[in-house]
C-alpha cells in the first residue's frame, strides 16, 4: 500500500472550488474516478459502516478500483446481520481490499469492561471503538471517500463534492447530491443487496446498541443515538467515514441551517457563458436574454434577483434553479422582502432562497419570516451574532407571512391553515 | 377600549427588552451612533436639536385615565414636566435622557403603550376621528378596524423598509375629521347597495413639499377583504415606489407619476392573487375586537339640552366654551368635550404633568374613563353627561384648560419649528403665540368664527399648513426667516390645498397680515354664517391678495 507523505498539492493548486464545479451533480463515478486516478492516485481510502446504504458507495468503489482500501470499523458492537452483510458485499461486488479495524483490547478492558459504556457515555465509547482505532489509519491517506449526502441531516446543509479539511486532507463526497430516492433507484438499477435489517425498519445502521427503528417520514439518522443528544460520532469523525472537521467555518460566508458552510456557488462574472456556466447565480436580465442556453445547460445554476427585477417574468423557469439569490443593495431597500414572499408563497419555490448584499443582524429575522432560508454574510458583528445565535428579534408576531408560518404567534384570527 | 391580551403584552415586552439591550450597547459604546440610528428610529427615538425626543404611540388617539396618568408621570419623572401632543395623535417628550429610555418604555408597557413604529419607513400609527364611537354623525366606529390594522401592520416583515414612511387614517363619519384625503391611505366608511358597511379606499394623499389630495382607488372594500386589499397596495408600493430620491418616495408621487389607473391595475392584480387567502378577516374576529369598543352603558339623563344663549349672558366664558368645545353625541343627554391645548400665548399641544393628571381624573369621573387625542393637538373627553358639563368646566378652569376656542382662530396647529426641530428653517411656536395674542379677545374670536390656521417651520409641513384655511410656512431667505401665507386649504371631505398669495412676510409682520385677511373676510362675508373658507371659495383670492399686497 502506498503510504503517501505528500499533501494534496495538486488539488490545492487546482483550487477546491474549481474542482467542485467540474462534475454534474449526479456524476458520482466521475468524481470518484477523478479523485482516485487523477488527483490522489494511490492515496485514497474509504471507511465504510456497511450499513443500510453503504452498498451504493461500495459499488462505485468496485467500478473505479476494487482494490481501493476499504476500512470497516469492527467496533465489537455490531449486529450479526451487519457482519454477514460485509461478507455478502465483499463477494458480490468483488472488493478485494476490505480491512477490519478493531479497538485496542487494553482500552476496552480498561474503559468498558462491562460493555455498557455506550449507555453511560457514548462519546467515550465511540472514542475508544472508532476514533482511536481509526486515527493511525487516517494519517496514511491524503484523501478519504465518504458516503455523506446533503439531505441526510439538517446540520449537513450544503455539501460539495470536494472539501479541504483543517488537517489538509481531501474529503471526497461522490454522493453529495443523492437523495433518498436516488439511493434507492441506484440500488434497484444495479441489483444491490439490502442490509438484512433494512426491511425491518432500520434505515441508518450503526452499532447494535445505538441504532433503533426509524419511523416513516423521520430523518433516517434519527434512529441513531435515539434519546441521546448526539448526532455525530466523535469530533473528527463520522460513521460514514468523514474524517477531520471541514475547513474553519470562519472562511465561509454562506449561513444556512444554523451554520456557516462552504458555498458551492460563485458570483456571476462578465464573460461567463450561459450555456456552460455552473454553480453561478445568473442575473435575471441576463437569464432572460439567454434563456434557451441556460435551460439547455446541464449544470446546477442559480438566479440573481436584484430590486426592480420582475420576478414574475421568470415564474415558469424557477424550477430550473437550485438557488435564488435576492440582492439587498442596502439594508434600507426592502424590495427583496416582497420578492422573497412571492417566491416562497405564490410560486411555491422550495429550494434555497438566499439574501446577498447588505445583510445585517437587525434585518435577518424579517428576511427569514419572508421565506429567505440562507444568508451570505460578511459583516463581522452580524456573523458574530449569527454564530452566537443572538439576533435582535421579537419572537412574537401578528401577521401570517411565509409558508412555514401559519403559526403559533400570529393573531388568532389569522392563525388558520392555508 | 381595546385591552391587550397576553399576546399583545408579550409582544410589547419582547420589543422593549430588545431595545433596552440596544440602548445598553449604545451607552457602553459597543454600538456607534450610525449603527444605533435605525434601531432607535424603529422605537420612536429621534435625535433633536438639543436632545433625544421620544415619540409615544397613541393608537387611533384613544387613551384611558391610567395611561394618561402614566404619561404625566413620565413627563414629571423623566422630562421637564410636560409633554407635547402631536398632529399624529401621539405624544412627544422633548427632553428624555438616553439612559432612561428603557425604563420609560418599561413604564409605558405596563399600561399597554409603546413607541413602536412611530418613526422609520414603515406603516405608522393609524389615526382616526377624535369623536369615533361617540359622534352623532358617525356611520360606524372605525376603531375596531383601526385596531386590526394596527395589529396587522406591527413589525410587518415585508413592509418595515418601505421607500418612505406610510400613514393610514380611517374615519367612520362622512364629516371627515381625520384628514383621510391627506394620508398615504385614507379609509372612509361607506355602505354598498346591499346596505353593508365597508370602506372607500383613498390613496396617494399627503402634505410635505408636494401636497396631494388622495384619489379614490376603490369605492367599496368589505371588512372581510380589507387587510388583503391593504397588503396589495403596500406590496405595489414597496416594489415600485421610488427609492432614488427621498423627496419623491411617498406613494403620492408613485400614484401621481404612474397615474391612478396604472396603480389601480397593479393593486387589483395583486388583490386577485391574495384575496380570500390568509388575510381574510372572519366576522367573528371583527366582532370580538368590536366588543372591546362597545359604547359604555350610558345611564339615561334627564337634561338633554343646554341653553347656550342663556349661559352666554350669565357667564360668557362658560357660554363660549359650550358654544365651541362641544360635539354632538349619539347618545341623548351626552356630549363630547374638546379640551383646548391652545391657551393664548402657549405652545400649541403642550400639556404639563399636572394638567394631564387633571384630565385623567376628569375622564375617570365624567367620561367613562375614556380620552382622545386629536390631530389638531387637543384632548377630548368623549362621553360627558350634559348635566356634568359645568363641573367639568370648573375643573378645567382651575387647571388653565378651559379655553373656549375649539375650531376658532386661536386653535392653531403648529409644528415644533426651530425651537426644537433640527430640520426647521424658521420658528413656528412664537408665530402662533403672537397671533393668539393679537386675537386674544374672546368676542373677536367668536365674531370671526370657524377658521383654521396651520403653521409649519419648514416645507416638511408637519404643521399641515397646506390644509389650513390660512396656512403659514416658514422659509429661509437671505439668512433671515420669512413666512409664506397660503389661503384656501381644507383637510375635510371638501379637501383642497391652499394657494400661496404672494411674497413672504417677516416674523413681526405676520400677525398684522393675518389681521388684514380676517378683516377682509369680515367686510366681505354675506352673513356671520358664511365661514372664512366658504367666503374664500365664493370670492376667490383676489380681494385677499389686494388687501395684503395692494393692487399694484
Ligand atoms: S455507536 Fe454506540 S456502541 Fe458503537 S462505538 Fe459509538 S457509542 Fe459505542
Ligand atoms: S414642519 Fe419642518 S420645522 Fe416643523 S416639525 Fe416638521 S420638519 Fe420640523
Amino acid at each position: 500500500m502506498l503510504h503517501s507523505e505528500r499533501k494534496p498539492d495538486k488539488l490545492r493548486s487546482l483550487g477546491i472550488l474549481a474542482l467542485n464545479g467540474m462534475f454534474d451533480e449526479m456524476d458520482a463515478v466521475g468524481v470518484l474516478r477523478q479523485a482516485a486516478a487523477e488527483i490522489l492516485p494511490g492515496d485514497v481510502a474509504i471507511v465504510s459502516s456497511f450499513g443500510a446504504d453503504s452498498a451504493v458507495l461500495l459499488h462505485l468503489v468496485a467500478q473505479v478500483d476494487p482494490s481501493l482500501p476499504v476500512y470497516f470499523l469492527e467496533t465489537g458492537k455490531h449486529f450479526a446481520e451487519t457482519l454477514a452483510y460485509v461478507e455478502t458485499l465483499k463477494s458480490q461486488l468483488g472488493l478485494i481490499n476490505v480491512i477490519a479495524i478493531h479497538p485496542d483490547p487494553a482500552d476496552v478492558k480498561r474503559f468498558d469492561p462491562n460493555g455498557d459504556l455506550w449507555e453511560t457515555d457514548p462519546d467515550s465509547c465511540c472514542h475508544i471503538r472508532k476514533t482511536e482505532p481509526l486515527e493511525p489509519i487516517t494519517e496514511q491517506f491524503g484523501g478519504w471517500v465518504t458516503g455523506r449526502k446533503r439531505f441526510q441531516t439538517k446540520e449537513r446543509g450544503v455539501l460539495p463534492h470536494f472539501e479541504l479539511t483543517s488537517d489538509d486532507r481531501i474529503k471526497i463526497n461522490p454522493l453529495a447530491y443523492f437523495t433518498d430516492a436516488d439511493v434507492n433507484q441506484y440500488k434497484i438499477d444495479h441489483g444491490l443487496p439490502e442490509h438484512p435489517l433494512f426491511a425491518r425498519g432500520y434505515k441508518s445502521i450503526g452499532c447494535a446498541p445505538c441504532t433503533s427503528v426509524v419511523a416513516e417520514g423521520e430523518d433516517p439518522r434519527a434512529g441513531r443515538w435515539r434519546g441521546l443528544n448526539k448526532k455525530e460520532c466523535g469530533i473528527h469523525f463520522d460513521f460514514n467515514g468523514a474524517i477531520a472537521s471541514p475547513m474553519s467555518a470562519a472562511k465561509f460566508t454562506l449561513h444556512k441551517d444554523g451554520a456557516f458552510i462552504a458555498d458551492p456557488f460563485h458570483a456571476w462574472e462578465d464573460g461567463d457563458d450561459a450555456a456552460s456556466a455552473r454553480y453561478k447565480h445568473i442575473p435575471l436580465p441576463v437569464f432572460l436574454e439567454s434563456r434557451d442556453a441556460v435551460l439547455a445547460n446541464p449544470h446546477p445554476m442559480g438566479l440573481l434577483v436584484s430590486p426592480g427585477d420582475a420576478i414574475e417574468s421568470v415564474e415558469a423557469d424557477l424550477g430550473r434553479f437550485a438557488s435564488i439569490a435576492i440582492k439587498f443593495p442596502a439594508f434600507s431597500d426592502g424590495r427583496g422582502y416582497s420578492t422573497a414572499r412571492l417566491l416562497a408563497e405564490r410560486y411555491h419555490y422550495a429550494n434555497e432562497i438566499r439574501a446577498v448584499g447588505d445583510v445585517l443582524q437587525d434585518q435577518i429575522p424579517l428576511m427569514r419570516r419572508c421565506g429567505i432560508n440562507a444568508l451570505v454574510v460578511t459583516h463581522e458583528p452580524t456573523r458574530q451574532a449569527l454564530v452566537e445565535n443572538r439576533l435582535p428579534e421579537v419572537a412574537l408576531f401578528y401577521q401570517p407571512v411565509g409558508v412555514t408560518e401559519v403559526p403559533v404567534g400570529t393573531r388568532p384570527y389569522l392563525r388558520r391553515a392555508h | 377600549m381595546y385591552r391587550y391580551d397576553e399576546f399583545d403584552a408579550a409582544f410589547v415586552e419582547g420589543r422593549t427588552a430588545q431595545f433596552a439591550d440596544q440602548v445598553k450597547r449604545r451607552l457602553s459604546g459597543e454600538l456607534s451612533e450610525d449603527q444605533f440610528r435605525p434601531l432607535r428610529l424603529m422605537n420612536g427615538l429621534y435625535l433633536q436639536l438639543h436632545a433625544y425626543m421620544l415619540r409615544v404611540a397613541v393608537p387611533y388617539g384613544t387613551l384611558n385615565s391610567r395611561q394618561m396618568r402614566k404619561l404625566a408621570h413620565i413627563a414629571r419623572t423623566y422630562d421637564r414636566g410636560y409633554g407635547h401632543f402631536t398632529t399624529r395623535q401621539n405624544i412627544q417628550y422633548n427632553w428624555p435622557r438616553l439612559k432612561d429610555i428603557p425604563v420609560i418604555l418599561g413604564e409605558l408597557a405596563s399600561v399597554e403603550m409603546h413607541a413602536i413604529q412611530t418613526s422609520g419607513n414603515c406603516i405608522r400609527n393609524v389615526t382616526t376621528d377624535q369623536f369615533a364611537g361617540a359622534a352623532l354623525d358617525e356611520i360606524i366606529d372605525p376603531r375596531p378596524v383601526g385596531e386590526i390594522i394596527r395589529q396587522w401592520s406591527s413589525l410587518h416583515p415585508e413592509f418595515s423598509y418601505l421607500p418612505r414612511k406610510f400613514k393610514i387614517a380611517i374615519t367612520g363619519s362622512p364629516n371627515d375629521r381625520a384628514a383621510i384625503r391627506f394620508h398615504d391611505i385614507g379609509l372612509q366608511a361607506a355602505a354598498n347597495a346591499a346596505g353593508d358597511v365597508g370602506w372607500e379606499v383613498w390613496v396617494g394623499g399627503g402634505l410635505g413639499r408636494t401636497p396631494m389630495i388622495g384619489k379614490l382607488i376603490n369605492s367599496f372594500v368589505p371588512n372581510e377583504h380589507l387587510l388583503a386589499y391593504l397588503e396589495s397596495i403596500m406590496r405595489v408600493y414597496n416594489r415600485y415606489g421610488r427609492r432614488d430620491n427621498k423627496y419623491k418616495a411617498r406613494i403620492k408621487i408613485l400614484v401621481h407619476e404612474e397615474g391612478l389607473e396604472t396603480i389601480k391595475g397593479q393593486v387589483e392584480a395583486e388583490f386577485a392573487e391574495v384575496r380570500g387567502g390568509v388575510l381574510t378577516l372572519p366576522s367573528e374576529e371583527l366582532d370580538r375586537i368590536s366588543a372591546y369598543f362597545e359604547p359604555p352603558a350610558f345611564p339615561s339623563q334627564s337634561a338633554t339640552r343646554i341653553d347656550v344663549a342663556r349661559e352666554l349672558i350669565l357667564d360668557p366664558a362658560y357660554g363660549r366654551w359650550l358654544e365651541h368645545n362641544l360635539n354632538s353625541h349619539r347618545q341623548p343627554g351626552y356630549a363630547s368635550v374638546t379640551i383646548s391645548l391652545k391657551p393664548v400665548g402657549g405652545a400649541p399641544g403642550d400639556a404639563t404633568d399636572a394638567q394631564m393628571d387633571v384630565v385623567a381624573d376628569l375622564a375617570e369621573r365624567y367620561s367613562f374613563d375614556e380620552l382622545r387625542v386629536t390631530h389638531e393637538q387637543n384632548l377630548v373627553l368623549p362621553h360627558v353627561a350634559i348635566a356634568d358639563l359645568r363641573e367639568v368646566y370648573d375643573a378645567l378652569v382651575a387647571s388653565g384648560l378651559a379655553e373656549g376656542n375649539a375650531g376658532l382662530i386661536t386653535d392653531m396647529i403648529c409644528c415644533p419649528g426651530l425651537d426644537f426641530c433640527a430640520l426647521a428653517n424658521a420658528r413656528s411656536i412664537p408665530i402662533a403665540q403672537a397671533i393668539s395674542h393679537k386675537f386674544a379677545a374672546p368676542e373677536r374670536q367668536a365674531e370671526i368664527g370657524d377658521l383654521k390656521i396651520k403653521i409649519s417651520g419648514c416645507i416638511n409641513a408637519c404643521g399641515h399648513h397646506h390644509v389650513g384655511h390660512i396656512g403659514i410656512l416658514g422659509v429661509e431667505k437671505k439668512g433671515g426667516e420669512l413666512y409664506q401665507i397660503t389661503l384656501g386649504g381644507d383637510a375635510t371631505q371638501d379637501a383642497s390645498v391652499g394657494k400661496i398669495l404672494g411674497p413672504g412676510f417677516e416674523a413681526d409682520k405676520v400677525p398684522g397680515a393675518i389681521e388684514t385677511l380676517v378683516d377682509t373676510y369680515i367686510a366681505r362675508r354675506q352673513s356671520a354664517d358664511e365661514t372664512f373658507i366658504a367666503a374664500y371659495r365664493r370670492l376667490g383670492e383676489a380681494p385677499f391678495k389686494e388687501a395684503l399686497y395692494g393692487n399694484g
Side-chain angles (χ1 to χ4, degrees):
Chain A
M1 196 191 306
L2 239 174
H3 290 181
S4 171
E5 285 305 306
R6 84 196 154 82
K7 301 293 181 205
D9 291 335
K10 191 165 177 181
L11 189 78
R12 267 225 180 283
S13 60
L14 242 159
I16 204 109
L17 289 180
L19 201 56
N20 275 317
M22 280 175 58
F23 296 90
D24 180 36
E25 287 174 358
M26 305 309 291
D27 187 9
V29 177
V31 169
L32 189 56
R33 180 166 289 128
Q34 179 80 9
E38 294 291 322
I39 307 168
L40 300 156
D43 200 16
V44 171
I46 171 173
V47 177
S48 177
S49 65
F50 289 84
D53 54 18
S54 298
V56 172
L57 189 64
L58 293 173
H59 183 257
L60 293 175
V61 168
Q63 286 178 72
V64 169
D65 178 1
S67 69
L68 276 180
V70 176
Y71 289 91
F72 170 58
L73 283 160
E74 179 29 320
T75 60
K77 290 284 173 186
H78 281 294
F79 291 103
E81 287 87 343
T82 302
L83 301 179
Y85 190 50
V86 175
E87 295 311 315
T88 312
L89 285 179
K90 265 160 76 171
S91 59
Q92 187 167 330
L93 303 179
L95 297 168
I96 56 172
N97 198 7
V98 177
I99 307 140
I101 38 179
H102 301 270
D104 181 342
D107 278 349
V108 174
K109 202 166 154 212
R110 183 163 162 224
F111 297 110
D112 192 10
N114 305 321
D116 58 1
L117 189 60
W118 63 271
E119 194 170 14
T120 52
D121 183 359
D123 287 331
S124 299
C125 183
C126 280
H127 187 77
I128 61 168
R129 293 179 187 276
K130 297 173 178 175
T131 314
E132 290 268 279
L134 194 57
E135 222 163 61
I137 314 280
T138 57
E139 284 167 10
Q140 298 170 19
F141 294 90
W144 286 86
V145 184
T146 87
R148 297 186 308 156
K149 299 161 203 74
R150 295 179 152 205
F151 78 92
Q152 276 171 329
T153 64
K154 251 172 76 186
E155 285 75 6
R156 289 167 191 276
V158 171
L159 183 71
H161 280 139
F162 296 92
E163 289 174 283
L164 191 61
T165 67
S166 54
D167 65 354
D168 239 350
R169 288 166 204 282
I170 308 297
K171 280 199 287 190
I172 302 135
N173 311 311
L175 302 181
Y177 291 85
F178 274 52
T179 63
D180 219 355
D182 295 330
V183 169
N184 289 333
Q185 193 56 47
Y186 191 101
K187 285 185 196 166
I188 293 166
D189 292 350
H190 298 88
L192 301 180
E194 285 290 9
H195 192 289
L197 294 177
F198 183 75
R200 287 164 40 193
Y202 293 89
K203 293 287 175 323
S204 177
I205 301 163
C207 294
C210 300
T211 305
S212 64
V213 175
V214 175
E216 195 59 45
E218 211 176 3
D219 182 327
R221 294 170 70 87
R224 308 273 291 275
W225 297 289
R226 190 186 284 284
L228 299 167
N229 185 18
K230 178 167 162 62
K231 284 225 171 123
E232 295 285 351
C233 192
I235 316 163
H236 284 326
F237 179 76
D238 163 309
F239 201 86
N240 280 343
I243 48 162
S245 60
M247 235 161 81
S248 146
K251 310 218 171 69
F252 297 143
T253 56
L254 178 65
H255 191 271
K256 197 174 175 184
D257 294 329
F260 280 101
I261 54 172
D263 186 352
F265 279 90
H266 336 289
W268 180 267
E269 282 158 41
D270 288 346
D272 277 345
D273 174 19
S276 63
R278 50 181 90 208
Y279 290 101
K280 298 257 178 172
H281 286 99
I282 185 169
L284 188 145
V286 181
F287 168 69
L288 288 176
E289 282 165 22
S290 49
R291 180 171 176 274
D292 292 344
V294 176
L295 294 184
N297 175 339
H299 305 298
M301 284 293 285
L303 180 72
L304 175 68
V305 186
S306 296
D309 288 346
I311 190 69
E312 33 290 78
S313 62
V314 294
E315 180 187 350
D317 300 319
L318 291 173
R320 166 68 185 89
F321 299 105
S323 165
I324 294 182
I326 296 178
K327 176 105 183 165
F328 288 82
F331 77 83
S332 54
D333 187 333
R335 285 176 280 188
Y337 298 106
S338 289
T339 306
R341 285 193 68 192
L342 289 173
L343 279 172
E345 295 171 44
R346 186 157 307 161
Y347 304 138
H348 308 290
Y349 180 79
N351 294 337
E352 177 184 281
I353 304 177
R354 57 165 72 182
V356 301
D358 200 12
V359 180
L360 303 177
Q361 53 183 320
D362 297 290
Q363 287 77 45
I364 288 173
L366 305 179
M367 291 175 173
R368 287 181 168 159
R369 289 189 57 202
C370 287
I372 287 168
N373 54 24
L375 309 157
V376 175
V377 187
T378 50
H379 181 247
E380 205 37 61
T382 300
R383 293 175 58 87
Q384 207 53 42
L386 278 166
V387 168
E388 291 163 20
N389 194 20
R390 47 157 186 83
L391 293 171
E393 176 169 24
V394 178
L396 302 171
F397 38 78
Y398 287 101
Q399 315 79 3
V401 165
V403 280
T404 54
E405 187 185 291
V406 174
V408 182
T410 50
R411 293 313 278 172
Y413 63 91
L414 301 170
R415 210 179 287 150
R416 303 183 305 151
H418 281 276
Chain B
M1 59 185 277
Y2 186 68
R3 278 186 311 279
Y4 277 18
D5 62 18
E6 277 172 26
F7 180 86
D8 298 297
F11 176 84
V12 169
E13 218 164 87
R15 180 52 172 242
T16 304
Q18 176 194 31
F19 189 52
D21 172 65
Q22 290 160 344
V23 170
K24 206 171 79 200
R25 284 190 278 146
R26 173 74 189 108
L27 287 170
S28 74
E30 194 186 319
L31 286 178
S32 69
E33 176 55 31
D34 258 8
Q35 291 164 329
F36 184 54
R37 191 172 167 277
L39 306 177
R40 66 170 165 73
L41 283 179
M42 279 186 268
N43 290 282
L45 191 61
Y46 285 76
L47 197 51
Q48 290 276 63
L49 216 45
H50 312 292
Y52 282 106
M53 178 272 276
L54 179 67
R55 185 183 289 160
V56 178
V58 182
Y60 34 89
T62 298
L63 285 168
N64 61 26
S65 60
R66 222 171 113 239
Q67 293 171 322
M68 186 60 111
R69 284 198 191 98
K70 183 61 81 178
L71 296 180
H73 166 78
I74 291 169
R76 186 161 50 239
T77 314
Y78 305 104
D79 206 306
R80 299 187 176 175
Y82 71 95
H84 176 76
F85 289 96
T86 77
T87 56
R88 300 272 316 137
Q89 298 181 313
N90 291 321
I91 182 169
Q92 287 175 187
Y93 293 105
N94 284 319
W95 308 98
R97 280 170 304 177
L98 183 56
K99 73 170 180 51
D100 291 332
I101 297 294
V103 193
I104 297 175
L105 292 179
E107 296 240 21
L108 288 169
S110 74
V111 294
E112 308 182 352
M113 295 185 80
H114 57 74
I116 301 168
Q117 289 182 204
T118 55
S119 56
N121 292 339
C122 53
I123 303 172
R124 302 287 187 87
N125 190 26
V126 178
T127 53
T128 190
D129 182 355
Q130 67 267 29
F131 301 122
L136 182 62
D137 59 8
E138 187 168 88
I139 300 170
I140 193 176
D141 185 347
R143 292 173 303 159
V145 170
E147 169 60 22
I148 285 167
I149 294 173
R150 179 191 75 78
Q151 296 184 5
W152 159 77
S153 63
S154 287
L155 306 189
H156 196 299
E158 186 178 351
F159 307 130
S160 287
Y161 294 91
L162 297 168
R164 203 76 177 82
K165 58 189 170 185
F166 203 92
K167 298 174 179 177
I168 300 177
I170 179 169
T171 180
S173 160
N175 297 306
D176 179 6
R177 288 173 288 260
I180 67 143
R181 284 162 190 80
F182 290 98
H183 283 75
D184 296 285
I185 290 179
L187 299 174
Q188 166 111 46
N192 67 2
D196 300 326
V197 174
W199 303 94
E200 273 177 10
V201 182
W202 296 73
V203 70
L207 298 171
R209 62 185 65 210
T210 323
M212 299 261 185
I213 298 173
K215 296 170 184 67
L216 186 65
I217 187 168
N218 196 316
S219 55
F220 189 84
V221 178
N223 284 316
E224 196 189 356
H225 298 309
L226 184 63
L227 293 181
Y229 195 79
L230 293 178
E231 188 141 310
S232 303
I233 296 179
M234 295 314 301
R235 182 168 286 162
V236 166
Y237 172 55
N238 189 43
R239 297 186 73 195
Y240 307 125
R242 285 182 63 171
R243 290 175 188 262
D244 57 329
N245 179 342
K246 81 178 242 196
Y247 300 117
K248 299 194 183 230
R250 296 289 288 267
I251 195 174
K252 63 188 175 188
I253 304 293
L254 181 68
V255 173
H256 179 72
E257 289 182 349
E258 302 292 322
L260 179 64
E261 288 312 310
T262 306
I263 299 302
K264 191 171 173 169
Q266 289 168 335
V267 170
E268 289 296 333
E270 188 60 40
F271 185 48
E273 294 278 355
V274 299
R275 188 176 193 274
V278 288
L279 285 173
T280 307
L281 181 63
S283 60
E284 313 85 67
E285 180 60 15
L286 182 57
D287 293 346
R288 189 181 73 83
I289 300 281
S290 297
Y292 288 112
F293 295 93
E294 278 298 300
F298 292 110
S300 73
Q301 300 287 336
S302 48
T304 57
R305 308 188 69 84
I306 189 155
D307 189 343
V308 177
R310 179 165 171 274
E311 299 296 339
L312 268 169
I313 295 162
L314 293 177
D315 181 347
Y318 178 50
R320 281 192 298 274
W321 184 79
L322 292 174
E323 189 176 10
H324 301 296
N325 290 30
L326 299 189
N327 196 67
S328 307
H329 203 284
R330 64 189 200 197
Q331 181 72 22
Y334 289 83
S336 300
V337 169
T338 298
I339 300 173
S340 170
L341 296 180
K342 319 287 174 61
V344 168
D350 279 4
T352 66
D353 59 320
Q355 288 176 326
M356 289 188 242
D357 276 335
V358 166
V359 171
D361 290 346
L362 290 175
E364 196 172 23
R365 229 170 126 195
Y366 298 107
S367 183
F368 299 87
D369 206 29
E370 254 197 61
L371 273 167
R372 305 293 170 76
V373 181
T374 84
H375 88 273
E376 293 183 320
Q377 301 180 282
N378 292 317
L379 300 175
V380 164
L381 297 167
H383 316 294
V384 179
I386 302 272
D388 293 333
L389 285 173
R390 182 75 216 197
E391 282 174 46
V392 169
Y393 174 76
D394 288 342
L396 291 174
V397 170
S399 301
L401 289 169
E403 204 70 47
N405 63 349
L408 299 183
I409 187 168
T410 56
D411 183 9
M412 283 169 275
I413 291 188
C414 176
C415 83
L418 199 55
D419 296 298
F420 295 100
C421 175
L423 303 172
N425 287 329
R427 289 164 303 150
S428 50
I429 293 172
I431 297 294
Q433 288 168 331
I435 294 171
S436 75
H437 277 298
K438 180 134 215 137
F439 293 94
E443 302 75 21
R444 173 85 161 128
Q445 291 185 48
E447 183 199 13
I448 299 167
D450 281 359
L451 173 53
K452 292 186 194 299
I453 296 185
K454 302 184 195 251
I455 309 173
S456 302
C458 81
I459 192 68
N460 289 322
C462 304
H464 298 183
H465 67 275
H466 296 297
V467 290
H469 300 160
I470 298 177
I472 300 174
L473 166 66
V475 293
E476 204 185 336
K477 283 241 171 80
K478 294 173 246 131
E481 297 169 14
L482 278 187
Y483 294 87
Q484 272 177 358
I485 296 183
T486 57
L487 280 193
D490 186 348
T492 71
Q493 63 280 5
D494 304 315
S496 58
V497 172
K499 282 171 54 184
I500 297 177
L501 272 192
F505 294 85
E506 310 268 331
D508 56 346
K509 301 280 190 311
V510 174
I514 302 301
E515 180 148 61
T516 305
L517 292 171
V518 166
D519 289 342
T520 307
Y521 151 66
I522 288 179
R524 307 285 294 258
R525 70 183 176 191
Q526 290 174 323
S527 74
D529 290 339
E530 190 182 41
T531 60
F532 181 92
I533 184 73
Y536 170 81
R537 285 187 177 140
R538 178 175 58 80
L539 294 164
E541 63 174 24
F544 296 96
K545 197 168 179 173
E546 191 183 323
L548 270 193
Y549 300 104
N551 53 7

